[in-house]
Amino acid sequence: MNWVGGDKIAIVQVHSPVGINRRSSFDLTHKLAKDFDDVIHWARDTETFQSILGSFIRLDLESVGPPDLSESWEPAITFFAANPK
């Protein structure tokens, strides 16, 4: 959580590799960004993790360090379980 900051954080478990059947971690993040400050993708396995990284690496996003957080920081965290469909 400390690496993303924000007051509302979504943690999304990803069930299978992205990039198949037009599924995209970037698209999921974009959809959740309407309701959350930050989105964390939680990969089910190594293959899924590597597919998520690949989808973001292709975007060539700027790297940033962790945010400065106050000691009283307590975000609202919502977990989304994997959807195997």
Side-chain angles (χ1 to χ4, degrees), residues 4-59:
V4 297
D7 293 322
K8 291 177 65 181
I9 298 172
I11 299 178
V12 181
Q13 184 182 27
V14 182
H15 182 266
S16 59
V18 298
I20 299 169
N21 295 329
R22 303 185 73 186
R23 290 183 333 111
S24 162
S25 291
F26 179 74
D27 289 343
L28 177 59
T29 299
H30 183 68
K31 289 174 185 170
L32 290 172
K34 297 172 193 166
D35 298 313
F36 295 92
D37 298 319
D38 292 292
V39 178
I40 296 172
H41 298 266
W42 171 23
R44 182 183 78 121
D45 55 33
T46 301
E47 182 182 7
T48 302
F49 174 74
Q50 290 173 341
S51 75
I52 294 167
L53 281 181
S55 71
F56 282 104
I57 289 171
R58 282 190 293 277
L59 295 174

Side-chain angles (χ1 to χ4, degrees), residues 55-83:
S55 71
F56 282 104
I57 289 171
R58 282 190 293 277
L59 295 174
D60 196 27
L61 301 172
E62 181 180 336
S63 293
V64 297
D68 291 326
L69 303 171
S70 70
E71 288 193 30
S72 63
W73 176 69
E74 291 188 36
I77 300 169
T78 303
F79 289 88
F80 292 92
N83 183 357

